Amino acid sequence: MEFAELIKTPRVDGVVLHRPFMPTVEGTLCLTGHHLILSSRQDNTEELWLLHANIDSTEKRFVGSLGTIIVKCKDLRVIQLDIPGMEECLNIASSIEALSTLDSVSLMYPFFYRPLFEVIEDGWQLFVPEEAFKDLESMTDEWRLSEVNKDFSVCPSYPSLLTVPKDIDDESLCKAASFRHGGRFPVLSYYHKKNGMVMMRAAQPLTGTNGRRCKEDEKLINATLCAGKRGYIIDTRTIAVAQQAKARGGGFEQEANYPQWRRIHKAIERSNVLQESLIKLVEACNDQSHSMDRWLSKLEASNWQSNVKEILTTACLAAQCIDREGASVLVHGTEGTDSTLQVTSLAQIILDPACRTIRGFEALIEREWLQAGHPFHQRCAQSAYSNGKPRSEAPVFLLFLDCVWQILRQFPCSFQFNENFLIMLFEHAYASQFSTFLGNSVAERVKLLLSQKTVSLWSWVNRPQELERFLNPLYEPNNLVIWPSVAPQSLLLWEGVFLRWNRSTKCLDEAYQEMAHIIEYNKELQNKVNSLRRQLAQLETEDSPLQTP
Amino acid sequence: MEHIRMPKVENVRLVDRSSSRRTHVGTLYLTATHTIFVGEGSEDRNELWVLHSLVCNVVKHKASQSGYPLLIHCKNFQVIQFIIPQESDCHDVYISLSRLSRPEKYEELYCFSFNPNVDKAEREHSWDFLDLKAEYSRMGLPNKLWHVTPINREYRVCDTYPADLFVPKSVTLPVIVGSSKFRSRGRFPTLSYYCKENHATICRSSQPLSGFSARCLEDEQMLQAIMKSNPGSRFMYVVGTRPKLNAMANRAAGKGYENEDNYCNIKFQFIGIENIHVMRNSQQKLIEVSALRSPSMGEFLTGLENSDWLRHIKSIMEAGLFISKAVAEEGVSVLVHCSDGWDRTAQVCSVASVLLDPYYRTLKGLMVLIEKDWVSFGHMFSHRCGHLIGEAKEVSPVIDQFLECVWQLMEQFPCAFEYSEKFLISIHNHIYSCHYGNFICNSQKERKDLILCIIKEKAHSIWLHLWEKKLDFMNPLFKPDQSQNQGLLRPSTAPYCFKYWRRLYNRFDRELHPRQSELDCLMTVKEETQQLEEELALYEQKMAVLDKERAKTLYMQKGVLDSKQALWSLPLDISLANTPQDYIGGAPNLCLFGDQTKSSDADNSDQESGVADFSSHSSGEESLPSEDSVKDPDSDETAM
């Protein structure tokens, strides 16, 4: 398909762009296959380059022959374009509509994007399972890397290499896979070096209404327990929801069949509920009524903060079981691709200082989200302004980032990255020139030949000149487990994302710069003092022979 | 001492607020000024000191199997729960505390027995630290249009006003007297703030006694004179800070508001702020929400909404913003009043001043502002803060709301304030604690008349004390030269810009606050930077000497800053950072298996954990939650 067919009017002059807290810009609007561009052709005015993929929805209005298109973006920005001429406006609107809802992955921008920088470190090669396994091997020999899923036939949403207990053979894995939703049999998610406890994740067991069981599944998870030890199964659903799942063939582990495990149910909402929550939250943030009651009641009704609290609490619980109770943990919900991953990845941030570095956090996202098969393509197809009928979109990843931000706020010195890093990940998960978040699973990414045809987000982010923006000046490695507070008083609204376009950030930006400056100046002085001290010491030793009597 | 029925009770348990399952056993003492709990283990840092004057109320709860619970709510939002083994002891403590926390006479207040180790001269000096005359001259007064009127020197025209008042030079004494007779409690229009740049002023008064049709020529002349003293403008605003309905209802009682037809060139503007009773109830609801034990997000947000607290804060901020914009942007003078002109008027004038003048965003400036707009202008601290037993209906968190407005501004303008929120919290604490003499009584006259001698003879002033501790209150991000600190602050008043002030309302719930503080870290870095600068200067000097002379003898001073590995990197309180909360929600203990009964005590032995109990707190800081209920004035705020 040619993009040209979809572009009815490639260019309109005299278009006026309105953005909150910025001066209006008048200029020429151009549509390309992947971008909406507005250029004023004046030297000092910033141009607008907007990826079509970033457009969540559009609205058009007419006053006489002046048309207005309101563009609502997946990054929650809302901009307004005044377009002279009704026909032009209609053409532009329908072109944007068509270009922003392209269905085929291979038409997405990453397949057309050519980097203007030299790729020094290929992000596609950075976080391969073999490397992670080498680290594990240095700590324990209880685990092996299985190739049972090398052609993605045992579990289409799993990667080709999986870490499983050493004593469980591939045949047993296949049997366990047939007992778990989507073939997602229990695999290793995290090994807690301090006490050797582990966190595993899976999908729900397919017990159904007649209480099916699977010896291999039982054996598989029991293999992770030391003799005489017991573990916890954290089911991210309420017991009621888990019961209902039985009717559809799903279910949960019966105590009788898993006597060494204690099941705990939590109440993380399913993805369609989360999507609803996001829509309501963003609507509350954009409410212009200026009424305090309305704001607080809408914020409450959106349930967003409750979702943050529940997810964070569950992650803390998992971490607590591992670190404090010295027990191993298995986490699952229904499919094991959403709430399960929120919990396992957040628990690692709490437990493992490595995950709080930039590289470590990238590795965590690779491991626990991309390779673990979170369906990014489906979940991020639309964001808060979607008004069509909901499909499978849901802000699962955004909620995870929000929870990380909450921990970052509570431990501002313990993370190597800053808030901008999290916001950047949010943006790129929804629309990007890079392909990292394309597709729903490793299998799909392999099929799309992403690593050959496109550029990884990490290839760009990890360049020193980009990284600079994302470094937290206050960072000092903290090797402790960090336990966040999950009290409502302690959890804040993530203004950096949800109020980003509704307020001026000038003063907050200045504060951030001042903070960076204070630290930088201190380091500079330290260097100066140290080098002078060395010089003086040197002079002293040169002089000292004369001094000795 | 005659009120103490029971000076000492043993085997009392102090319940940990963060987890009711944890208690500390110790001995409870009642003294003339404090309730003291000494935890067992005989280390002196296991002590909790609560000033009687900070106690808001004492409640006995139903007996439980472990004893008789006694709940103490403090005015600084601390909540303390003791469990006392014997019912009679509990009752005696209850009766004693109830009496001790409600003094009947000013002389009983703590500031008259508080005796830090300073001599008389120093104490007197502490009262001279702030000088309002100097403040007015900083504003540029007196000048050719404004002067001090001697009319109230003896407090005869208005006994709730200060002795020295600024009025337009053009008004005669009879005009002032006439105007004062037409205003509630004689509070005639007088200057609160003068803007040097454009001569616009903020003036304040009480409501006029206009009823439905009464007029007063002198009052009209007074306003005319105020308007004319601002040569650049053709009109002035009169801001009524009550809801319009309340103001209209007041007309029936012969009071009310200015009729635009009777006054030349005034524009009357209503900005509805609710009265003290509404505010008291609102804060009560807010306090209940803040004290909920592990509330759900929904309960918390609904409670916050139902308290209406943030709506009130927003209305005060909007009023302040309106006035400051009128002054700074339009160059128009403003007269502000509510009913009596000592509650809402004080709030609004001082918020406007903070927005207008960067000076009030410095430590000293805020002190001066409170001294001027609140203390000298007769905000009834003793009534509003309930210093003495009296009319409960007079109590209202009016000054709390002012401090909170400043805090809300700090959230929006992090580089604009020289002080941090610790300063506000410390001031809040001392307004209620009666630890210092500044906030005793309801007016300047009362202070002078009644107990002038004992205030200045016996009590100390807070301001010098705070000034001496200023390092604790500094905002490391303060940049006086930065754009956000130039001229008028223009805060957004969108509802989402107003936040719940956790540091104040959950001040003593340490587990709710960030485990590492950005500002504390930065403060540490800045201090270190200063040392480095000194060291650098020293080295450079030495190098210069060496370069010149290649001296044969060289005395090397050992660097003080070897291997400085960022001090700020550690969590403020490692033990706390490493204490998981109750994440399972309701379940008594995570140890769900009978065969693994590990008590939380066992956790204590885990070196890294340190559950938040006495023993694991870092030394050097007072460990118990009531650090500034204070035996020692100089350590009172350090542990925050």
Side-chain angles (χ1 to χ4, degrees):
Chain A
M1 182 177 58
E2 283 294 319
F3 292 116
E5 293 166 19
L6 298 174
I7 303 172
K8 293 183 181 155
T9 300
R11 213 188 111 148
V12 188
D13 289 321
V15 173
V16 179
L17 166 70
H18 304 267
R19 288 174 292 186
F21 301 104
M22 288 205 225
T24 55
V25 181
E26 192 186 330
T28 302
L29 178 75
C30 298
L31 290 186
T32 73
H34 293 102
H35 284 96
L36 180 157
I37 303 158
L38 189 116
S39 161
S40 71
R41 307 226 178 126
Q42 274 157 19
D43 291 342
N44 292 322
T45 322
E46 197 199 337
E47 293 183 330
L48 173 76
W49 282 71
L50 189 67
L51 265 180
H52 294 315
N54 192 1
I55 296 174
D56 210 22
S57 69
T58 55
E59 285 166 24
K60 33 185 196 293
R61 281 201 299 255
F62 291 97
V63 181
S65 67
L66 180 75
T68 293
I69 303 179
I70 313 258
V71 179
K72 299 183 173 180
C73 303
K74 289 177 186 162
D75 61 14
L76 309 183
R77 170 170 33 161
V78 178
I79 60 173
Q80 181 186 329
L81 296 164
D82 294 341
I83 299 170
M86 187 177 294
E87 199 191 331
E88 280 85 353
C89 183
L90 283 171
N91 284 346
I92 295 286
S94 70
S95 308
I96 294 177
E97 175 89 33
L99 289 163
S100 62
T101 51
L102 289 178
D103 234 8
S104 163
V105 178
S106 58
L107 290 176
M108 302 291 259
Y109 186 50
F111 288 96
F112 299 82
Y113 168 75
R114 291 293 158 262
L116 292 171
F117 58 88
E118 191 192 345
V119 175
I120 297 166
E121 194 179 31
D122 184 1
W124 289 113
Q125 307 306 323
L126 268 183
F127 308 105
V128 290
E130 290 91 335
E131 288 298 317
F133 187 74
K134 266 186 208 156
D135 287 346
L136 180 68
E137 258 184 326
S138 69
M139 298 183 275
T140 171
D141 57 0
E142 304 279 304
W143 299 82
R144 69 185 183 93
L145 213 48
S146 165
E147 292 185 0
V148 70
N149 197 38
K150 68 171 180 290
D151 54 2
F152 308 108
S153 59
V154 177
C155 172
S157 63
Y158 268 167
S160 52
L161 292 173
L162 290 156
T163 310
V164 296
K166 197 176 59 183
D167 301 334
I168 305 296
D169 57 25
D170 283 358
E171 202 181 323
S172 304
L173 293 178
C174 291
K175 285 192 177 141
S178 66
F179 181 64
R180 293 273 170 179
H181 191 118
R184 295 175 70 92
F185 57 87
V187 296
L188 181 80
S189 161
Y190 171 68
Y191 178 85
H192 196 44
K193 196 175 173 183
K194 190 171 117 190
N195 59 11
M197 294 302 127
V198 298
M199 180 161 57
M200 286 179 300
R201 52 177 158 75
Q204 65 176 347
L206 302 173
T207 56
T209 40
N210 45 16
R212 242 180 93 204
R213 61 187 288 191
C214 170
K215 290 279 181 205
E216 286 77 10
D217 187 74
E218 293 160 22
K219 201 177 143 208
L220 168 55
I221 69 169
N222 283 337
T224 65
L225 296 177
C226 311
K229 278 274 191 178
R230 304 206 203 190
Y232 292 93
I233 294 172
I234 296 178
D235 192 325
T236 61
R237 307 162 294 179
T238 61
I239 179 78
V241 174
Q243 287 282 9
Q244 285 161 17
K246 283 184 178 174
R248 292 187 297 275
F252 51 86
E253 294 82 356
Q254 291 297 333
E255 260 126 47
N257 302 339
Y258 298 84
Q260 287 167 279
W261 295 81
R262 174 72 192 242
R263 219 176 55 242
I264 304 173
H265 288 274
K266 298 299 280 184
I268 301 183
E269 294 286 3
R270 280 187 59 84
S271 54
N272 53 338
V273 181
L274 299 180
Q275 178 66 9
E276 195 66 6
S277 171
L278 174 68
I279 292 172
K280 284 188 186 161
L281 173 70
V282 171
E283 199 198 305
C285 293
N286 290 341
D287 187 296
Q288 299 296 324
S289 73
H290 254 247
S291 145
M292 183 61 79
D293 294 353
R294 211 173 139 111
W295 157 245
L296 286 173
S297 70
K298 281 185 149 193
L299 176 65
E300 200 267 312
S302 79
N303 254 334
W304 182 265
Q305 295 295 92
S306 303
N307 289 320
V308 169
K309 178 171 157 66
E310 192 60 35
I311 293 164
L312 207 48
T313 307
T314 310
C316 290
L317 175 68
Q320 198 177 6
C321 290
I322 293 169
D323 188 66
R324 289 311 167 98
E325 299 296 312
S328 286
V329 170
L330 169 67
V331 184
H332 71 73
T334 304
E335 291 98 343
T337 54
D338 295 301
S339 57
T340 306
L341 305 182
Q342 290 172 330
V343 173
T344 56
S345 52
L346 286 167
Q348 292 180 54
I349 286 168
I350 293 164
L351 292 170
D352 185 2
C355 295
R356 301 172 216 146
T357 64
I358 288 199
R359 280 298 165 105
F361 191 67
E362 290 171 358
L364 182 76
I365 288 173
E366 273 286 341
R367 245 181 13 246
E368 292 300 302
W369 289 88
L370 293 161
Q371 292 168 14
H374 174 66
F376 276 100
H377 183 69
Q378 289 176 9
R379 296 288 181 252
C380 301
Q382 296 259 258
S383 132
Y385 301 119
S386 62
N387 41 21
K389 75 169 196 293
R391 288 177 296 181
S392 356
E393 44 280 326
V396 177
F397 186 62
L398 176 58
L399 268 165
F400 158 72
L401 294 176
D402 194 330
C403 292
V404 176
W405 179 79
Q406 304 288 349
I407 308 176
L408 171 64
R409 289 307 308 150
Q410 295 189 26
F411 295 90
C413 310
S414 298
F415 288 80
Q416 192 187 17
F417 49 86
N418 60 19
E419 179 181 2
N420 295 335
F421 190 63
L422 300 173
I423 296 174
M424 181 276 295
L425 288 170
F426 158 62
E427 290 173 337
H428 283 273
Y430 279 85
S432 176
Q433 65 270 46
F434 305 106
S435 58
T436 296
F437 294 106
L438 286 189
N440 292 309
S441 62
V442 174
E444 285 188 26
R445 281 177 210 114
V446 168
K447 213 169 137 199
L448 289 165
L449 301 174
L450 291 186
S451 61
Q452 287 102 299
K453 291 185 170 174
T454 65
V455 185
S456 158
L457 174 65
W458 313 131
S459 304
W460 171 72
V461 168
N462 287 333
R463 302 166 70 235
Q465 48 276 61
E466 300 299 333
L467 219 45
E468 210 172 310
R469 276 190 297 146
F470 303 127
L471 290 171
N472 174 9
L474 290 170
Y475 175 61
E476 280 294 326
N478 167 7
N479 280 319
L480 302 174
V481 176
I482 53 177
W483 300 106
S485 163
V486 296
Q489 293 98 318
S490 311
L491 300 177
L492 308 171
L493 177 71
W494 192 7
E495 299 177 18
V497 165
F498 298 110
L499 298 177
R500 183 178 177 190
W501 312 103
N502 300 354
R503 51 168 198 176
S504 156
T505 55
K506 187 167 151 266
C507 296
L508 302 178
D509 294 345
E510 278 176 359
Y512 184 83
Q513 279 157 20
E514 179 59 16
M515 178 176 90
H517 167 77
I518 289 171
I519 307 263
E520 204 176 302
Y521 179 59
N522 176 277
K523 288 193 174 142
E524 199 179 297
L525 272 183
Q526 246 171 45
N527 290 338
K528 268 192 199 160
V529 166
N530 285 339
S531 91
L532 265 181
R533 190 187 292 144
R534 266 197 304 276
Q535 283 183 41
L536 280 166
Q538 210 167 8
L539 288 172
E540 187 189 38
T541 42
E542 279 167 19
D543 290 341
S544 55
L546 301 170
Q547 247 179 311
T548 5
Chain B
M1 295 303 272
E2 71 270 29
H3 307 305
I4 301 171
R5 290 184 169 205
M6 184 49 115
K8 178 178 171 187
V9 188
E10 283 174 339
N11 282 319
V12 170
R13 285 193 294 153
L14 172 66
V15 179
D16 194 316
R17 287 286 298 165
S18 62
S19 156
S20 54
R21 297 192 294 276
R22 276 199 295 265
T23 57
H24 312 296
V25 180
T27 307
L28 185 69
Y29 299 90
L30 289 184
T31 74
T33 56
H34 288 87
T35 302
I36 305 164
F37 175 83
V38 182
E40 264 164 25
S42 77
E43 285 170 74
D44 57 358
R45 65 167 193 260
N46 300 358
E47 289 178 11
L48 168 71
W49 289 57
V50 185
L51 204 51
H52 295 324
S53 43
L54 271 173
V55 172
C56 183
N57 63 49
V58 190
V59 189
K60 280 197 291 184
H61 272 204
K62 265 218 302 282
S64 67
Q65 59 193 136
S66 47
Y68 296 84
L70 193 69
L71 211 63
I72 302 173
H73 291 270
C74 299
K75 292 172 181 172
N76 59 5
F77 313 119
Q78 183 169 20
V79 183
I80 301 157
Q81 188 180 353
F82 292 119
I83 297 174
I84 297 171
Q86 298 296 322
E87 186 174 12
S88 59
D89 291 346
C90 180
H91 186 70
D92 284 347
V93 172
Y94 168 76
I95 294 290
S96 311
L97 256 181
S98 299
R99 173 61 188 87
L100 290 165
S101 63
R102 286 190 207 130
E104 287 163 357
K105 298 191 298 277
Y106 283 124
E107 290 84 340
E108 291 176 40
L109 293 176
Y110 182 53
C111 60
F112 300 116
S113 55
F114 167 61
N115 189 12
N117 200 10
V118 296
D119 62 26
K120 186 163 171 281
E122 254 179 280
R123 194 188 62 236
E124 278 164 7
H125 170 62
S126 81
W127 287 104
D128 299 333
F129 178 67
L130 289 189
D131 175 9
L132 287 185
K133 208 178 250 175
E135 165 58 8
Y136 286 108
S137 84
R138 185 195 67 87
M139 287 185 208
L141 297 180
N143 64 9
K144 62 182 197 305
L145 293 166
W146 293 87
H147 71 158
V148 179
T149 171
I151 199 163
N152 205 37
R153 283 279 147 80
E154 309 295 328
Y155 305 104
R156 276 204 290 261
V157 176
C158 174
D159 61 359
T160 57
Y161 263 175
D164 292 333
L165 289 159
F166 277 87
V167 291
K169 246 184 191 166
S170 58
V171 296
T172 58
L173 293 185
V175 168
I176 299 176
V177 173
S179 168
S180 83
K181 289 193 172 137
F182 189 63
R183 296 272 167 182
S184 280
R185 303 185 191 258
R187 293 172 71 95
F188 58 87
T190 176
L191 179 133
S192 165
Y193 180 75
Y194 172 75
C195 180
K196 231 181 331 203
E197 286 73 29
N198 60 14
H199 312 295
T201 56
I202 302 174
C203 292
R204 57 186 290 174
S205 70
S206 60
Q207 63 187 341
L209 304 174
S210 51
F212 289 103
S213 59
R215 297 181 60 163
C216 168
L217 198 60
E218 290 91 341
D219 196 59
E220 289 162 24
Q221 287 171 347
M222 183 77 171
L223 263 65
Q224 177 82 348
I226 290 172
M227 196 219 29
K228 289 226 160 119
S229 301
N230 178 7
S233 82
R234 310 204 141 271
F235 72 98
M236 72 183 281
Y237 286 109
V238 178
V239 173
T241 56
R242 296 169 295 184
K244 190 168 183 183
L245 206 64
N246 302 18
M248 284 169 61
N250 259 304
R251 292 208 300 202
K255 299 166 185 172
Y257 55 95
E258 292 81 355
N259 184 340
E260 285 187 356
D261 298 337
N262 298 342
Y263 290 82
C264 287
N265 303 317
I266 66 160
K267 285 191 185 170
F268 195 88
Q269 180 78 35
F270 278 111
I271 300 182
I273 300 173
E274 300 289 349
N275 65 28
I276 57 167
H277 312 295
V278 174
M279 299 307 191
R280 178 179 56 245
N281 294 335
S282 170
Q283 194 192 39
Q284 195 46 48
K285 286 187 193 159
L286 181 76
I287 292 170
E288 281 161 22
V289 172
S290 71
L292 286 174
R293 293 274 192 97
S294 27
S296 72
M297 187 56 84
E299 282 167 337
F300 177 73
L301 288 175
T302 309
L304 188 61
E305 184 197 341
N306 291 341
S307 78
D308 262 345
W309 181 255
L310 292 177
R311 183 166 67 80
H312 299 315
I313 298 292
K314 178 166 137 71
S315 65
I316 296 164
M317 189 76 92
E318 280 166 341
L321 188 58
F322 175 84
I323 293 163
S324 59
K325 277 186 171 167
V327 169
E329 289 175 354
E330 296 183 63
V332 172
S333 293
V334 184
L335 170 67
V336 187
H337 69 73
C338 44
S339 302
D340 292 317
W342 51 46
D343 293 316
R344 287 169 272 203
T345 301
Q347 288 177 329
V348 166
C349 288
S350 47
V351 168
S353 301
V354 170
L355 294 172
L356 277 168
D357 193 335
Y359 177 64
Y360 299 124
R361 298 172 222 146
T362 65
L363 276 145
K364 187 128 184 221
L366 185 69
M367 298 180 190
V368 167
L369 185 63
I370 292 174
E371 190 67 26
K372 175 170 75 72
D373 277 357
W374 295 81
V375 177
S376 88
F377 270 104
H379 175 65
M380 303 198 291
F381 279 102
S382 278
H383 283 169
R384 296 291 177 258
C385 305
H387 289 157
L388 299 181
I389 183 164
E391 200 55 65
K393 276 190 184 153
E394 287 291 321
V395 174
S396 186
V398 181
I399 184 105
D400 296 26
Q401 292 182 314
F402 164 64
L403 294 173
E404 178 155 342
C405 284
V406 177
W407 179 79
Q408 301 282 0
L409 288 171
M410 287 161 74
E411 288 287 291
Q412 287 196 41
F413 303 96
C415 301
F417 291 82
E418 186 187 26
Y419 41 86
S420 68
E421 66 178 331
K422 289 180 190 174
F423 188 52
L424 304 178
I425 292 169
S426 193
I427 291 176
H428 179 272
N429 191 73
H430 285 300
I431 284 172
Y432 287 91
S433 71
C434 300
H435 197 147
Y436 292 86
N438 306 66
F439 308 109
I440 310 302
C441 295
N442 293 308
S443 67
Q444 200 177 62
K445 177 169 187 285
E446 241 184 71
R447 243 165 256 129
K448 276 200 180 143
D449 274 13
L450 257 162
I451 47 167
L452 161 84
C453 37
I454 60 168
I455 288 192
K456 293 218 171 164
E457 280 296 303
K458 291 190 170 167
H460 299 253
S461 167
I462 177 76
W463 304 126
L464 183 64
H465 165 70
L466 292 178
W467 182 250
E468 280 165 353
K469 288 178 48 180
K470 65 180 175 191
L471 265 184
D472 296 345
F473 303 130
M474 290 294 208
N475 169 18
L477 294 174
F478 177 56
K479 279 204 93 174
D481 51 341
Q482 202 152 20
S483 65
Q484 57 184 280
N485 206 27
Q486 300 303 306
L488 179 65
L489 290 187
R490 289 182 189 77
S492 162
T493 55
Y496 46 71
C497 294
F498 293 87
K499 298 175 201 161
Y500 169 74
W501 193 2
R502 181 184 58 214
R503 283 274 185 207
L504 183 68
Y505 289 103
N506 291 107
R507 186 176 159 197
F508 294 93
D509 302 316
R510 297 184 320 145
E511 71 287 349
L512 297 186
H513 302 296
R515 313 312 164 85
Q516 295 173 322
S517 154
E518 245 167 51
L519 295 188
D520 287 351
C521 298
L522 288 171
M523 215 54 224
T524 315
V525 174
K526 277 191 116 168
E527 279 162 34
E528 194 198 270
T529 299
Q530 205 180 351
Q531 282 179 306
L532 283 168
E533 274 171 343
E534 285 161 19
E535 207 182 347
L536 187 68
L538 186 75
Y539 286 158
E540 273 169 352
Q541 205 181 358
K542 275 187 193 154
M543 283 301 276
V545 172
L546 277 173
D547 281 347
K548 251 190 212 156
E549 304 178 11
R550 299 292 294 147
K552 285 178 187 167
T553 52
L554 175 70
Y555 173 70
M556 267 294 289
Q557 192 191 341
K558 253 284 177 251
V560 275
L561 289 164
D562 301 272
S563 66
K564 262 278 149 81
Q565 247 310 303
L567 304 157
W568 68 88
S569 61
L570 287 173
L572 278 184
D573 187 335
I574 300 178
S575 66
L576 191 62
N578 279 281
T579 310
Q581 292 188 331
D582 180 3
Y583 297 120
I584 193 156
N589 200 326
L590 189 62
C591 310
L592 298 161
F593 299 133
D595 55 349
Q596 274 192 332
T597 39
K598 207 176 15 154
S599 74
S600 55
D601 289 337
D603 274 355
N604 283 353
S605 60
D606 177 352
Q607 189 225 349
E608 199 190 319
S609 73
V611 178
D613 69 340
F614 294 166
S615 54
S616 62
H617 291 307
S618 55
S619 55
E621 285 187 348
E622 287 196 31
S623 55
L624 275 165
S626 159
E627 62 278 350
D628 57 347
S629 313
V630 243
K631 38 196 167 143
D632 168 12
D634 291 325
S635 66
D636 56 4
E637 298 283 12
T638 49
M640 278 178 13

